[in-house]
Amino acid sequence: MMQISSRFSMAVHTLSLISVSKDCTGDFIAASVNTNPVMIRKIMGMLKKAGLVEIRPGVGGASLLRPPGEITLLDIYRAVQLAGDKQLFRIHEHPNIQCPIGRNIEQVLQHELQAAQAALEQRLAQTTLSALNDRVQENESSR
């Protein structure tokens, strides 16, 4: 089974930390995510390009450019996950057009894949970073 890259969950983790912590540096985030700081810098660059964070040069640190209640999981997903063509699924290239399946599979499958992507995006759009942070707090409180 193909998986969506872990960049998405690392980006959500990163933005959650930034939204609840003061002076959130790349090293601090990398320690929490348990990954290399280089990976966090790459993700932070994507989040900055998407207009979700501001990164302070020099000493470092980052802050959100919008309130957590206005950032959805879909915003984060789009910042780090989608390819240039904005499609979650890719159809393999150059099927054998001499075969009836190869000749028609892309057209038939494309509709199903577009519906699946729309359902995923609709679900991600329903959850804000703030709501996710609230659930993290609830989980922590119930420990």
Side-chain angles (χ1 to χ4, degrees):
M1 174 185 231
M2 293 178 73
Q3 292 183 331
I4 292 175
S5 161
S6 62
R7 279 192 315 258
F8 173 63
S9 63
M10 286 192 272
V12 172
H13 188 148
T14 297
L15 290 175
S16 290
L17 277 174
I18 292 169
S19 71
V20 300
S21 301
K22 301 273 190 241
D23 300 322
C24 213
T25 65
D27 288 341
F28 176 79
I29 295 166
S32 179
V33 175
N34 200 22
T35 192
N36 189 309
V38 172
M39 176 60 79
I40 296 303
R41 283 194 293 275
K42 181 177 180 178
I43 289 170
M44 292 287 283
M46 294 172 169
L47 296 171
K48 179 181 178 181
K49 184 177 178 182
L52 298 176
V53 296
E54 176 181 47
I55 302 168
R56 290 183 295 277
V59 178
S63 58
L64 298 180
L65 288 173
R66 298 191 327 227
E70 294 178 13
I71 298 173
T72 67
L73 293 181
L74 181 59
D75 295 327
I76 302 166
Y77 173 78
R78 286 181 172 159
V80 299
Q81 197 62 50
L82 292 177
D85 60 3
K86 304 294 185 219
Q87 296 298 310
L88 175 60
F89 299 100
R90 290 189 48 183
I91 304 287
H92 59 286
E93 296 178 5
H94 312 297
N96 182 350
I97 61 170
Q98 303 304 317
C99 169
I101 300 294
R103 197 169 36 249
N104 295 289
I105 193 68
E106 180 177 356
Q107 181 180 0
V108 172
L109 185 57
Q110 197 64 270
H111 174 74
E112 295 301 319
L113 298 180
Q114 287 170 347
Q117 181 170 337
L120 171 70
E121 290 179 355
Q122 181 181 25
R123 178 67 182 128
L124 292 176
Q126 293 174 12
T127 304
T128 65
L129 188 59
S130 180
L132 197 69
N133 285 343
D134 290 346
R135 287 193 290 218
V136 167
Q137 285 300 101
E138 290 169 11
N139 278 359
E140 188 62 23
S141 296
S142 67
R143 289 185 150 245

